Amino acid sequence: KVANKKLLIKIGGIGISTMVLGYCMFSMFYLSSVNAKSSDVQEVYRSMHPILRVAVSTLTLADGDLVITDIERFEEDYAEMGLPVNQTSLHYRQESGYVQAVDIRTIGHGSVRNALLRGSLELMGFRTIRHVGTADHLHVELRRTSR
């Protein structure tokens, strides 16, 4: 019983677009302490690539128990973990100025949840690797483009 359906659709589209933009902006700058292993992770959250930030923030809506364990690393971090230095790690700041990898805790979660998490990230276009060496986690990174 709306007189001008085209106007209603236009206003609805503008409203939805505003909400999506607002959510994206919010997720670009804020990471809850519930979803961060430590305050150090929260502090370097903004150094993570914006596309990765929005994707991870979206996943926290579906999984409130999602915990980011690591974002940015330095060469000495690998020695502390007892691992060889990885010169090509996307946990280092890249030429773009952003870290292009994140680690998400999988230990203590069921295999179905972890499979859904991994599948969701891969559907979004990210490369994922399940690591169990230092601690059970899912390594997520932007796919590298060939030049």
Side-chain angles (χ1 to χ4, degrees):
K1 299 201 177 204
V2 176
N4 192 343
K5 290 184 181 180
K6 287 184 181 180
L7 181 62
L8 181 64
I9 290 170
K10 184 177 180 181
I11 290 173
I14 291 170
I16 290 170
S17 297
T18 302
M19 289 185 344
V20 168
L21 180 64
Y23 172 75
C24 288
M25 294 305 293
F26 171 78
S27 65
M28 295 262 287
F29 298 104
Y30 178 74
L31 175 67
S32 171
S33 61
V34 172
N35 301 112
K37 177 182 174 182
S38 65
S39 59
D40 293 340
V41 170
Q42 275 186 292
E43 288 175 22
V44 298
Y45 179 69
R46 289 189 206 115
S47 70
M48 193 166 59
H49 194 280
I51 297 293
L52 199 50
R53 278 186 266 167
V54 171
V56 169
S57 183
T58 301
L59 289 174
T60 64
L61 294 175
D63 182 0
D65 293 333
L66 184 135
V67 175
I68 297 173
T69 58
D70 200 4
I71 299 174
E72 185 175 23
R73 286 194 192 138
F74 301 95
E75 284 189 17
E76 54 270 13
D77 294 333
Y78 285 94
E80 289 175 18
M81 291 186 283
L83 298 171
V85 174
N86 181 354
Q87 297 294 337
T88 62
S89 175
L90 292 179
H91 282 288
Y92 297 136
R93 284 195 193 235
Q94 303 299 305
E95 289 178 15
S96 64
Y98 293 109
V99 175
Q100 296 181 2
V102 62
D103 291 338
I104 299 173
R105 181 176 291 151
T106 53
I107 194 165
H109 295 284
S111 58
V112 172
R113 178 262 190 194
N114 291 334
L116 287 171
L117 175 65
R118 186 174 191 174
S120 298
L121 288 160
E122 291 199 357
L123 277 173
M124 289 184 217
F126 298 102
R127 181 172 178 253
T128 63
I129 303 168
R130 181 85 179 263
H131 288 294
V132 291
T134 53
D136 191 4
H137 69 278
L138 185 64
H139 172 84
V140 182
E141 65 184 31
L142 295 178
R143 292 197 184 270
R144 296 176 195 224
T145 56
S146 56
R147 294 181 183 199

